[in-house]
Amino acid sequence: MLERKPLLLLWSGIQLSLLLLLNQAFALWVSAVFAVLMLYRLLTVFKARRAVSLGLVNILAGVIALAFFLQIKQSGVLHFMLQILLLAATARLLALQHLYEARQLVWVHYFLIASCFILHQDMFVAVIVLSVLFANLYSHYRLFSVATAKINWLQTGRAALIILPLWLGMFLLFPRLPPFWQIPNTKAATTGLSDSLDPGSIEQLVQDDSPAFRVEFTSALPAREQLYWRARLYEDFDGRSWQVNTSRQYQRGNQITASNELSVSANLTDYSIIAEASHQRGLFALATPVSSSDNVFIAPGGMLSSHKPVSQRVSYQVSSVLAPVVATSAEEQLNLRLAPGNPQTKAFATRLKQQYPDTDKLVQALASYYSQQPFFYSLTPPRLGSNSIDAFLFDSRTGFCSHYASATAVILRQAGIAARVVGGYQGGIWYPEQGYLAVRQREAHAWVEYLHQGAWHRFDPTAFVAPERILNNLDSMLPEQERALLNSGWRQFKLLQTLRQQFMHLDYYWSVWVLGFNDNEQRELWRSIRRHLHLLGYTLLLISVIAVAALALYLARARHDKTLPAAAKLLYQHLAPLLSTKQPQQPVSVFLQGCMAKYPQYSPLLSDIKSLYDKALYQNDASALAQLKVELKQHRRQLRRLHRAIKNA
């Protein structure tokens, strides 16, 4: 029977940690089931009760597994597999009685720990996962060692010094093989912008302070008013909300390349982006992207997309031209369609068109209308009725970016100008010392693109209603009461905000150096090695010569040490700095006697050492040798002071 209480507590702690790490893959009721089972096992350990019988555990596990299987459509295949794996570990711990069962449990834990990196990639969680791994390794060691065994930290350190360079070399140089199997798709909640935009969607998103993506510019940082990160095109309007057209939703890797004329005529802006997991395909780019790395593609409409849902952090490179996106023939008709309702808005648009038949002048007049009329920018706009655009433009006149963008697109379409709403992010926080731009969910934004002279031109009504939002940030233009919504809870404490920011910087470097080291980076490293192969050869030769010389010196000293008696070896080991001042032919006892005469304050200590040394050396007294070792360790500091005194004299 297995009766190691500390190990049972450790395994219970490991499983609770795994439950927390894998929690986002489980529904609330699934997490509750696991928590109850694990807490019950902890209770039985503390109260020294017997483990649950294997038959009862098998029945219970079968019922729970069946419940997991019945909701597989909601959870997805991947999350179902994680649930079954954790259930296997929990059931094994509940019925754990014999040593061989514990060995199986430890190996299941290894699989679960590795699975955590499917869901998490940030540095802070990686530290927690590695801590759980070390705890499982320790339990593995305890499982195979005798009860009185102690870890040899010196031997463990030597093994680590050998393993770490090999691990680093494999990480940098070993070929990145494709997976042997395909991870099944999972039903997962999306974050960030979705394929639908209604008047309240972005207001909810901007209260989230978590990062959306981070950008490092190879070229110069564009002006803030140019930092419009396009992510979604909303072209279908039902009178209240906007949706991504189905033709856009099902676009796959038919990469679009910009014309040579556009690429040559404008300066390129080159940048790298690390995007957080969103479980969506849409990614972020400035203006008109003209080239990208292989793991993403440029879809029609100048949108950037991934080949599969972004379930983990993704790093990609883009080159963009800060110029309007060139339109296709099909897009004009798609973005002239009108929905029923909002008669006041349509009448207003008709009057504008009659007064300003030229597109540029009409857009200018619309900008003046927003800046001159009493419109207000607010996170908490009033509810709107069935004719939501009419109610916003002529009654409440209070809204957020999505309200203004939606109303503008409807006005332009009614005036005969093709228009669409663009969802994305605007601005970001620039960290000059770290050299990157952090774009949070809070920077979510909506604006309008209208068709003119064959290209989609950007028009942002927010820039005329609340220019501080574009030129500075959202916090600067909100009233104090609404600003409190963005900085509630722990965000009010500056110290916690500072610590969070420092963690964010460390996490960014982790993403760049570790997660961002992809196949392209590895191929570039191999090219660099080939270019400097002769220099590497000379360096390795020099290191080899130094290593051989050091080994020869070590072996020579080892042979010399073998000829020394145990007492002399012990004295040279602990008093090497002190004995280095001794004359080569002078006996150790005579040297110690001389030190006693010159430094009487150290005479009692040196007298004891000399006496024990003489007994151990000349009388082969084993107890004197052991006592000498203890004496040298206990008075280490006093002997150092003696050495400094001799050296200064």
Side-chain angles (χ1 to χ4, degrees):
M1 299 291 290
L2 183 63
E3 297 180 354
R4 294 186 184 180
K5 183 176 178 180
L7 277 178
L8 291 172
L9 292 175
L10 182 58
W11 288 325
S12 299
I14 289 172
Q15 290 194 4
L16 284 170
S17 301
L18 288 170
L19 176 60
L20 292 174
L21 288 167
L22 299 172
N23 185 57
Q24 72 179 63
F26 304 153
L28 181 61
W29 72 269
V30 174
S31 299
V33 168
F34 281 123
V36 168
L37 295 176
M38 293 173 188
L39 292 175
Y40 176 77
R41 185 51 172 147
L42 273 174
L43 183 66
T44 60
V45 173
F46 280 120
K47 293 194 173 184
R49 294 180 182 174
R50 290 177 58 85
V52 184
S53 67
L54 184 59
L56 180 58
V57 168
N58 285 338
I59 294 172
L60 183 63
V63 172
I64 295 173
L66 179 61
F68 290 165
F69 180 76
L70 291 176
Q71 54 94 50
I72 192 172
K73 288 185 177 180
Q74 288 73 37
S75 63
V77 178
L78 174 60
H79 291 176
F80 172 72
M81 292 168 62
L82 295 177
Q83 292 166 6
I84 293 298
L85 201 56
L86 185 56
L87 178 62
T90 308
R92 175 55 67 194
L93 186 61
L94 280 172
L96 192 61
Q97 294 184 8
H98 303 286
L99 187 63
Y100 69 88
E101 296 170 345
R103 292 172 180 172
Q104 296 168 357
L105 176 67
V106 167
W107 284 109
V108 174
H109 282 171
Y110 285 128
F111 281 100
L112 282 164
I113 291 168
S115 299
C116 292
F117 287 109
I118 299 175
L119 304 177
H120 304 283
Q121 286 194 309
D122 54 298
M123 185 187 70
F124 180 70
V125 178
V127 172
I128 297 175
V129 173
L130 290 176
S131 301
V132 177
L133 172 64
F134 289 136
N136 201 54
L137 284 169
Y138 176 75
S139 73
H140 204 163
Y141 166 76
R142 283 298 176 198
L143 203 56
F144 287 91
S145 64
V146 295
T148 56
K150 292 184 178 180
I151 296 177
N152 188 332
W153 291 109
L154 181 61
Q155 188 177 1
T156 304
R158 288 174 180 169
L161 288 176
I162 296 172
I163 292 170
L164 286 176
L166 293 174
W167 167 80
L168 182 61
M170 291 183 69
F171 175 77
L172 293 175
L173 303 175
F174 197 80
R176 301 299 175 95
L177 299 175
F180 295 108
W181 61 84
Q182 185 68 35
I183 294 178
N185 290 331
T186 175
K187 300 269 186 182
T190 58
T191 59
L193 294 164
S194 67
D195 288 341
S196 179
L197 181 74
D198 58 54
S201 55
I202 290 187
E203 290 92 312
Q204 297 170 2
L205 191 58
V206 297
Q207 297 182 41
D208 182 0
D209 197 37
S210 62
F213 56 96
R214 285 168 282 194
V215 192
E216 183 176 343
F217 289 91
T218 307
S219 53
L221 174 69
R224 185 176 176 87
E225 55 268 25
Q226 293 285 350
L227 295 177
Y228 281 84
W229 304 96
R230 303 169 80 244
R232 293 286 189 283
L233 294 179
Y234 300 106
E235 297 168 301
D236 293 347
F237 183 60
D238 60 8
R240 182 176 181 82
S241 62
W242 293 81
Q243 288 83 32
V244 175
N245 187 266
T246 53
S247 64
R248 305 276 187 196
Q249 292 176 352
Y250 297 104
Q251 289 171 155
R252 294 296 181 265
N254 51 332
Q255 180 157 332
I256 304 299
T257 55
S259 65
N260 293 331
E261 181 181 349
L262 179 62
S263 301
V264 173
S265 63
N267 292 327
L268 290 177
T269 298
D270 301 319
Y271 49 96
S272 301
I273 290 182
I274 295 175
E276 299 294 322
S278 63
H279 301 284
Q280 303 182 65
R281 285 185 168 84
L283 291 170
F284 321 100
L286 290 173
T288 304
V290 294
S291 65
S292 66
S293 51
D294 296 337
N295 57 333
V296 298
F297 67 92
I298 304 170
M303 306 308 294
L304 207 65
S305 183
S306 173
H307 295 284
K308 57 184 180 180
V310 181
S311 58
Q312 296 179 331
R313 281 184 185 174
V314 60
S315 173
Y316 60 94
Q317 295 77 43
V318 191
S319 293
S320 289
V321 174
L322 301 182
V325 177
V326 177
T328 61
S329 57
E331 288 180 322
E332 181 173 6
Q333 293 303 317
L334 184 64
N335 290 283
L336 281 171
R337 297 169 302 156
L338 289 166
N342 299 300
Q344 288 181 271
T345 303
K346 292 178 179 178
F348 173 68
T350 303
R351 291 196 300 272
L352 273 181
K353 181 63 176 177
Q354 291 170 353
Q355 192 174 358
Y356 303 101
D358 182 71
T359 298
D360 285 335
K361 290 181 179 179
L362 188 146
V363 172
Q364 254 181 358
L366 194 54
S368 300
Y369 176 76
Y370 282 127
S371 59
Q372 293 170 7
Q373 296 297 318
F375 283 98
F376 302 96
Y377 206 68
S378 173
L379 276 175
T380 56
R383 289 182 174 274
L384 303 174
S386 56
N387 291 316
S388 57
I389 306 296
D390 285 354
F392 164 67
L393 279 177
F394 304 107
D395 295 331
S396 70
R397 296 196 171 188
T398 301
F400 204 58
C401 59
S402 54
H403 294 79
Y404 291 97
S406 179
T408 302
V410 170
I411 292 170
L412 291 174
R413 286 189 178 189
Q414 180 64 31
I417 302 170
R420 62 193 183 189
V421 175
V422 183
Y425 296 81
Q426 200 285 323
I429 301 176
W430 175 250
Y431 295 102
E433 293 183 2
Q434 289 75 26
Y436 74 91
L437 182 82
V439 182
R440 305 166 295 175
Q441 298 291 353
R442 180 171 295 182
E443 271 80 47
H445 193 52
W447 61 95
V448 173
E449 286 181 349
Y450 66 94
L451 185 60
H452 183 52
Q453 296 179 349
W456 291 100
H457 296 264
R458 183 177 66 243
F459 176 69
D460 187 1
T462 297
F464 302 97
V465 177
E468 300 91 345
R469 164 67 182 89
I470 307 304
L471 298 175
N472 194 356
N473 56 46
L474 181 63
D475 303 49
S476 64
M477 47 72 54
L478 289 175
E480 185 175 351
Q481 183 178 1
E482 295 190 3
R483 200 179 304 139
L485 294 175
L486 300 181
N487 299 304
S488 59
W490 64 269
R491 296 187 185 93
Q492 297 176 359
F493 300 98
K494 290 186 177 180
L495 176 61
L496 294 179
Q497 283 278 41
T498 303
L499 289 174
R500 179 176 181 266
Q501 185 173 306
Q502 297 305 318
F503 276 122
M504 186 180 72
H505 295 330
L506 288 173
D507 187 58
Y508 173 73
Y509 296 136
W510 162 267
S511 299
V512 171
W513 297 334
V514 179
L515 304 181
F517 189 78
N518 52 26
D519 294 343
N520 294 332
E521 296 287 337
Q522 192 178 63
R523 283 194 290 268
E524 184 58 36
L525 178 62
W526 275 109
R527 291 191 202 101
S528 179
I529 290 174
R530 283 195 290 269
R531 284 196 300 268
H532 302 92
L533 198 58
H534 62 287
L535 182 61
L536 287 172
Y538 293 139
T539 305
L540 289 174
L541 179 62
L542 179 61
I543 292 173
S544 301
V545 170
I546 293 173
V548 169
L551 180 62
L553 181 62
Y554 172 78
L555 292 175
R557 286 187 177 181
R559 283 194 296 270
H560 176 263
D561 289 344
K562 286 181 181 179
T563 62
L564 288 175
K569 190 184 298 184
L570 185 63
L571 220 60
Y572 275 100
Q573 181 182 348
H574 288 272
L575 298 180
L578 184 64
L579 295 175
S580 63
T581 60
K582 180 180 76 68
Q583 297 296 325
Q585 303 302 324
Q586 188 180 21
V588 173
S589 297
V590 175
F591 173 74
L592 294 176
Q593 190 69 41
C595 290
M596 291 164 57
K598 289 182 181 179
Y599 305 96
Q601 65 271 32
Y602 296 100
S603 181
L605 173 61
L606 293 174
S607 177
D608 290 343
I609 292 174
K610 179 178 178 299
S611 175
L612 291 170
Y613 172 74
D614 289 341
K615 286 182 181 179
L617 182 65
Y618 299 114
Q619 299 176 18
N620 289 327
D621 192 336
S623 62
L625 182 65
Q627 194 174 349
L628 175 63
K629 186 175 183 179
V630 173
E631 191 83 9
L632 291 170
K633 285 185 177 180
Q634 286 180 347
H635 298 90
R636 193 177 299 166
R637 292 184 180 177
Q638 201 172 351
L639 291 170
R640 286 200 198 104
R641 288 196 294 268
L642 173 60
H643 173 251
R644 283 195 294 269
I646 294 174
K647 189 176 181 181
N648 293 333

